[in-house]
Amino acid sequence: MNEMIPLRNVPTLDGYAILFGAIALLNRLSRQDFELARELLDGLIERVPNAPAALAWKARWHVLKVQQGWADDPGLEARLALDCTERALDIDPQNSAALVAEGFVRNNLLHDLDEAEELFDSALELTPNDATGRALRAGLYTFRGEGAKAAQD
């Protein structure tokens, strides 16, 4: 049987180079670099639409756009980010990067700390050494005033 199986990761070295280049650019905090990161992520998602990692990073891009004060409509950015995480989780419901990204959206843009915590917990159950998931969950605990839990992460 020749059944189509969705890709769960980026299939080529070139794709990973684009992904890691985009990640580096979106963390430089320059508006020009940030927009280039979006272009790279959009191009990668177009080339490999079934790669949850690219979709998860695009969701994080939307959160960072709001946090940098570059978004005219934070609600729209939240919806666009959730569209990305929903697509990623449709492809792979146990993708820890997508779970972390959705937790990031729910925590930082929607202020739904309970749902964000569940998402971070699910991601960390699947990938206990996910540094980003631990750091973001620590931030959530800090928002709640739960310093001991934050320090553990």
Side-chain angles (χ1 to χ4, degrees):
M1 187 174 266
N2 203 4
E3 195 172 306
M4 183 74 155
I5 299 172
L7 293 171
R8 299 213 187 279
N9 50 33
V10 179
T12 66
L13 184 57
D14 286 345
Y16 275 106
I18 292 168
L19 179 63
F20 290 128
I23 292 167
L25 288 168
L26 73 88
N27 286 304
R28 284 192 186 163
L29 306 179
S30 148
R31 183 76 189 254
Q32 183 177 2
D33 289 343
F34 190 75
E35 289 301 325
L36 181 54
R38 179 192 51 77
E39 291 174 23
L40 290 172
L41 289 168
D42 287 345
L44 183 58
I45 290 166
E46 186 176 313
R47 284 174 53 184
V48 190
N50 290 330
L55 291 162
W57 278 98
K58 181 66 185 284
R60 292 176 62 171
W61 182 92
H62 287 288
V63 176
L64 294 173
K65 182 178 181 182
V66 172
Q67 290 181 322
Q68 290 302 321
W70 296 330
D72 293 328
D73 184 349
L76 174 63
E77 299 302 327
R79 288 189 299 278
L80 293 170
L82 289 176
D83 286 347
C84 291
T85 59
E86 182 179 305
R87 286 174 53 200
L89 291 168
D90 282 347
I91 296 163
D92 182 0
Q94 295 188 326
N95 185 279
S96 61
L99 291 165
V100 167
E102 184 158 333
F104 190 41
V105 175
R106 293 194 180 279
N107 187 53
N108 291 54
L109 297 185
L110 302 176
H111 311 293
D112 183 351
L113 303 187
D114 293 336
E115 182 67 23
E117 182 178 23
E118 286 181 30
L119 289 157
F120 292 144
D121 289 348
S122 294
L124 292 168
E125 188 174 303
L126 293 166
T127 311
N129 63 343
D130 183 325
T132 302
R134 291 211 172 270
L136 292 174
R137 188 172 69 177
L140 178 145
Y141 290 145
T142 302
F143 294 152
R144 284 188 175 154
E146 298 174 4
K149 284 184 171 182
Q152 278 186 320
D153 275 340

